[in-house]
Amino acid sequence: MFHAQIPFDRIPHQFKSGLLCRSSQSEKDGLKKADADPSVKAVMICGENGKFSAGADIRGFSSPKRHGVALSPIVSLIESSEKPVVAAIEGVALGGGLEVALGCHYRVAHAKARMGLPEVTIGLLPGAEGTQRLPRLIGVPAALDMITTGKHIPATEALKLGLVDEIVEENTIEAAIRLANKVIGQPLEPRRLSLKPVPKLPNMEAFLREALVKVKRQARGCLAPELCVQAVRAATERPFAEGVRRERELFGLLLSSGQAQALQYAFFAERAVRRWAAPGGASWSSAAPQPVRKAAVIGLGTMGRGIVTSLVKANIPVVALEQDLEYLNKGRKAVMLLLEREAMKMEGGAQTLDFHNPARLQFTVDFDLLCDVDLVIEAVFENMALKKEIFHKLSKICKPGALLCTNTSALNIDEIASATNRPQQVIGTHFFSPAHVMRLLEIIYGRHTSPTAIATAMQLAKALKKVGVVVGNCFGFVGNRMMFPYVQQAVFLLEEGSRPEAVDQVLEDFGFKIGPFRMSDLAGLDVGWRSRKEQGLTGPSLAAGTPARQRHGQRYSPLPDLLCEQGRFGQKTGKGWYQYERAGGRTATPDPWLHDFLSQYRDTHGIQSRFIDQEEILERCLFSLINEGFAILAEGIASGPEHLDVIYINGYGWPKHRGGPMFYASTVGLPRVLAKLQKYSEAHPDVPGLRPNAFLKKLVAVRSPPLKEWMSYLSHQSPKL
Ligand SMILES: CCCCCCCCCCCCC[C@H](O)CC(=O)SCCNC(=O)CCNC(=O)[C@H](O)C(C)(C)COP(=O)(O)OP(=O)(O)OC[C@H]1O[C@@H](n2cnc3c(N)ncnc32)[C@H](O)[C@@H]1OP(=O)(O)O
């Protein structure tokens, strides 16, 4: 038996250890030697440390040297071997790893193994003949699904699809060797996927056409899924070798598209933010989390319901608390509905949801039941007085070590913490709606928050399968603080002559899931109105004689306030920036009433309406958001641009293939961003959001270094870090 090992971490110089060595030439030599050696009857390929392979080293694709592209010849060599080659798949077989396994004549997988071709998620397509072999093995619909989504499938599903020949609970390598011994001498021709035809579909053309329409619709400008379809189409239309040539061509296109770089940046950024740092030198490497064996959620409104659902899904027992029985019963019903839906989605999967057991999910109005929980997440209204009252109560009831989290989107964590006797255990956990779906968790430390509290919140994010991003405490934290100037510009554009649908269209074409006005209608205009009233920007507390379009010497638009005064709160009232089919309806249509209202508004305020082109819409919205990002970095509210980008991709619908706002700025070029901000700022001197931030100016002055070096240009370490 000849036995080769593929390392878990990288494919490029494949088969790093075992009997084959690093250069592709020696790998080929090794395989050839095995073929030539009459004492070798079969070959088994496995990985190291219980993992088959996670595929190519992603960093290699953006490295100027870009070696490690020679995987296809090895896969071909494996397939053409005169001796049976069996893959023993443990852990993961992803990307190039799975392509190697597809070159093998047989595949044995451990029951816990996962397989997939996730190249699409990093802006590529399987480039080692995977788009040609997989459809031949499991048929076009299943192959297309795996290749265009990049999903990882469990071994059980792989067996059903015919992707693997056998799954085992025990020793995969022994099972693979057993199979290899069994098949010695059997013809290999039928096992060589490159020789097989792609299974026919009665309606292949229509199927592929529909698939293309579907991926284009979902991709919002991301190229890779579309090119994946094209590569699979080639498998259905051309002989294997020609299909491979097409795959290579499309791979090359993607590699040089810029989107692949953005998506690969996002892959590493998401991992980089796990390495958090906070004031006083505390960081991920020194702080250990506390265990969370039981949690509580206070408030069963929209956010609280989602948070409870998330905790139950993560198998953390929860006490869900409301202020009175009426709210509790309403909340309980809503939570149960969400959980039932989640359970349906999970049906057939390995996991089940145990939410009817009171030991796992308990509903109460009794605060005393919170005495033994390890962590509380308060999710009541955005009202400082109410939050402080609750935190005061919690510090009396909860056990000494309990972590006290507040789900707030903007409020001051220090002020909330001041209501307790344990400010070191108070932390902000900003969930995004719907909380059981959205991946982002902004974790906000206050002046006194302990490293243990941060580590515990990060651990919680991981348990909830969310991306936790640690940030400092300021109004709106990172995500909403950057959102304010973006939304402000969108509204100013309406004042100057644009329409909600025009602004939304530009930003949706850019790749946002939803434009700012549709988003505002979805979230409810009343939320911001309440906050502006609390800040004294509108409503009864506004000083008499305040100019309608100015606050504190800066430009202000009363448009959203005026809509709210008309009862136009968005989807919930059936009218907002758009009109809807009914209150609670979801289909936005442009509203002639609003267009008239905007004209009258401009007349009232003597604003000369003008045509605003797409470029101006895009630049004013995005560059003001990015400008705020530079301010956040300079103030040390976030430890790097990756944090801002991960927040925007996972919480605000920023198109991932554009890498996040700060990455996008680096691709546009900082000098251009600066020049445009200068131009718009000169035209609108009363808008601070358009005034270029000093940090941006500094980076341009030092010739725009690469994004990963930006933070080293901050002259002083900010007080927050
Ligand atoms: C110009 C014309 C050119 C034409 C050329 C045509 C021919 C080209 C032929 C090219 C051959 C292509 C081969 C193939 O098709 C391409 C690929 O294989 S691309 C890679 C595909 N694989 C993936 O995308 C897997 C990505 N990884 C994961 O999904 C997960 O990491 C995991 C493997 C499921 C493990 O998850 P976790 O246990 O949660 O662990 P982490 O995610 O935290 O990862 C731990 C650690 O490992 C790093 N890492 C993981 N995978 C890779 C990788 N593939 N490359 C590099 N680094 C990887 C990860 O970043 C973590 O590191 P840390 O952040 O902790 O330092």
Side-chain angles (χ1 to χ4, degrees), residues 54 56-58 69 96 99 118-119 126-127 248 251 268 271 274-275:
D57 183 343
I58 297 169
V69 289
E99 290 174 299
E119 287 87 342
R248 207 159 290 170
F251 188 92
F268 290 112
R271 282 151 182 85
R274 294 179 196 156
R275 295 185 277 271

Side-chain angles (χ1 to χ4, degrees), residues 493-499 595-610:
L493 288 162
L494 296 194
E495 286 190 331
E496 293 164 35
S498 198
R499 287 182 170 182
H595 300 155
D596 288 347
F597 172 75
L598 287 175
S599 308
Q600 280 170 27
Y601 173 88
R602 292 181 199 116
D603 291 346
T604 308
H605 295 284
I607 304 167
Q608 182 79 46
S609 179
R610 66 186 175 94

Side-chain angles (χ1 to χ4, degrees), residues 8-9 54-59 61 66 68-69 71-72 92 94-97 99 114 118-119 121-122 124-128 152 248 251-252 255 267-268 271-272 274-275:
F8 162 61
D9 57 350
D57 183 343
I58 297 169
R59 288 189 202 277
F61 293 118
R66 255 189 217 160
V69 289
L71 185 55
S72 298
V92 290
L94 299 173
E99 290 174 299
R114 287 182 294 138
E119 287 87 342
T121 63
I122 52 164
L124 297 173
L125 53 77
H152 301 180
R248 207 159 290 170
F251 188 92
L255 202 57
F267 175 88
F268 290 112
R271 282 151 182 85
R274 294 179 196 156
R275 295 185 277 271

